[in-house]
């Protein structure tokens, strides 16, 4: 389990341990950003990447024992993680802004969820047609992204804050909705879009649903910030977890920031 914090570095709970390890700039000088660690991604060769709000990125190629702090790169820098790249960083030709989220698929391609249309730009969004899910690919093995494919675009994912790719399914956490896009024919376009869960709370608050991660136990994990007041099914019914509790922030037992896990078929929610 990897947890990013606001100013306290990274916490890691190994699979065979009950003790958390804290990794911070003052415990590994120059290696970990002091800033808000906002996202993780895991490469096909065991790389661990983290992204921050305003202070760049970092990467470990040895399971978290040592880290490289990439600092704040210029706009247009993308990170390549695929066959032949050995976890190198490379300046590509893709430009984004805001808080982009990413995942790496089994082929080493980077799936990037844009953040152009963050709420401060409303009612005049930077991209009127909506933010996009794009696939960045290094087709030549030189560590540079040279192919960009738009998987999906729409205002319903504007500045969404979580993406995970599992086979032909793509999960996107978009504030009060968690979508599942399915590509049934392998053309890198969604053939089906479904609402897996809904959440009560502000429609575009940054403290809403975040992330989606496939855990080593074969289950799915995602987060709800302090503005996530409940998790509901697609019909608006509050979920009841496997212990019998309603999943709503009323301190019985859920409150404020919440971390959830469930089976890939959405059962055994807790």
């Amino acid at each position: 389990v990897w947890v990013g914090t606001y100013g306290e570095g990274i916490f890691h709970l190994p699979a065979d341990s009950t003790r958390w390890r804290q990794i911070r700039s003052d415990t590994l000088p120059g290696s970990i950003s002091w800033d808000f660690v906002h996202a993780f991604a895991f490469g096909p060769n065991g790389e661990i990447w983290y992204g921050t709000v305003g202070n760049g990125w970092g990467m470990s190629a040895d399971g978290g024992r040592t880290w490289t702090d990439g600092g704040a790169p210029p706009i247009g820098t993308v990170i390549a993680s695929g066959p032949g790249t050995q976890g190198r960083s490379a300046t590509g030709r893709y430009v984004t802004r805001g808080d982009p989220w990413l995942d790496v698929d089994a082929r080493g391609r980077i799936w990037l969820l844009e953040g152009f249309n963050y709420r401060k730009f409303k009612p005049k969004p930077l991209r009127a047609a909506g933010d996009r899910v794009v696939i960045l690919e290094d087709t030549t093995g030189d560590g540079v992204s040279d192919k960009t494919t738009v998987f999906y675009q729409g205002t319903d994912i504007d500045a969404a804050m979580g993406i995970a790719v599992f086979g032909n399914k793509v999960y996107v956490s978009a504030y009060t909705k968690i979508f599942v896009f399915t590509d049934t024919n392998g053309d890198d376009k969604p053939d089906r879009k479904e609402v897996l869960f809904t959440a009560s709370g502000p429609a575009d608050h940054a403290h809403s649903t975040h992330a989606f991660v496939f855990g080593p136990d074969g289950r799915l994990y995602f987060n709800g910030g302090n503005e996530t007041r409940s998790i509901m099914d697609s019909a608006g019914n509050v979920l009841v977890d496997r212990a019998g509790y309603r999943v709503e922030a009323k301190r019985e037992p859920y409150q404020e920031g919440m971390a959830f896990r469930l089976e890939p078929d959405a059962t055994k929610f807790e």
Side-chain angles (χ1 to χ4, degrees):
V1 179
W2 295 87
V3 177
T5 71
Y6 199 162
E8 293 295 330
I10 293 170
F11 285 83
H12 176 220
L13 180 65
D16 58 352
S17 176
T18 59
R19 295 178 62 87
W20 290 88
R21 176 192 179 206
Q22 185 177 18
I23 307 168
R24 214 168 51 187
S25 60
D26 55 357
T27 58
L28 288 175
S31 64
I32 299 293
S33 169
W34 56 269
D35 213 332
F36 189 174
V37 179
H38 206 241
F40 287 99
F42 301 89
N45 301 314
E47 309 94 336
I48 305 166
W49 305 87
Y50 73 82
T52 73
V53 177
N55 203 39
W57 56 274
M59 188 273 288
S60 172
D62 57 11
R65 290 186 294 275
T66 60
W67 294 81
T68 299
D69 180 8
I75 289 179
T77 297
V78 297
I79 308 304
S81 179
T85 67
Q86 288 81 47
R88 291 183 285 117
S89 64
T91 301
R93 300 172 180 82
Y94 189 81
V95 179
T96 187
R97 67 171 66 191
D99 296 330
W101 293 78
L102 57 87
D103 195 11
V104 182
D105 68 16
R107 295 164 55 186
R109 303 181 302 171
I110 296 174
W111 291 65
L112 187 142
L113 179 60
E114 294 178 330
F116 279 86
N117 290 348
Y118 188 59
R119 57 182 175 168
K120 73 177 181 179
F121 297 111
K122 295 179 179 179
K124 296 181 179 180
L126 297 178
R127 180 167 280 152
D131 276 329
R132 307 182 300 180
V133 174
V134 297
I135 307 169
L136 307 180
E137 188 172 359
D138 171 14
T139 64
T140 62
D142 64 353
V144 177
S145 168
D146 52 61
K147 180 180 179 182
T148 300
T149 302
V150 177
F151 177 77
Y152 179 80
Q153 182 172 18
T155 56
D156 52 356
I157 62 165
D158 276 352
M161 295 190 175
I163 183 171
V165 183
F166 309 122
N168 68 342
K169 293 186 180 296
V170 180
Y171 293 75
V172 174
S173 300
Y175 302 105
T176 58
K177 288 186 174 65
I178 294 175
F179 295 107
V180 181
F181 299 90
T182 304
D183 175 8
T184 60
N185 58 11
D187 64 351
D188 291 330
K189 301 292 181 183
D191 300 294
R192 187 167 68 248
K193 180 179 73 172
E194 303 167 279
V195 176
L196 180 65
F197 298 125
T198 60
S200 61
D204 61 354
H205 201 291
H207 298 185
S208 188
T209 56
H210 285 68
F212 240 98
V213 178
F214 187 73
D217 56 357
R219 304 182 70 187
L220 305 180
Y221 291 75
F222 75 101
N223 303 327
N226 62 296
E227 288 293 341
T228 303
R229 296 165 191 171
S230 64
I231 300 293
M232 302 171 287
D233 62 19
S234 58
N237 302 304
V238 175
L239 296 185
V240 177
D241 70 15
R242 62 188 303 187
Y245 296 106
R246 289 170 61 87
V247 185
E248 51 191 353
K250 293 185 176 181
R251 299 190 177 186
E252 296 177 357
Y254 296 100
Q255 64 176 356
E256 295 293 332
M258 299 174 281
F260 308 109
R261 68 178 177 181
L262 60 151
E263 298 293 335
D265 64 359
T267 62
K268 298 183 179 179
F269 192 99
E270 60 185 358

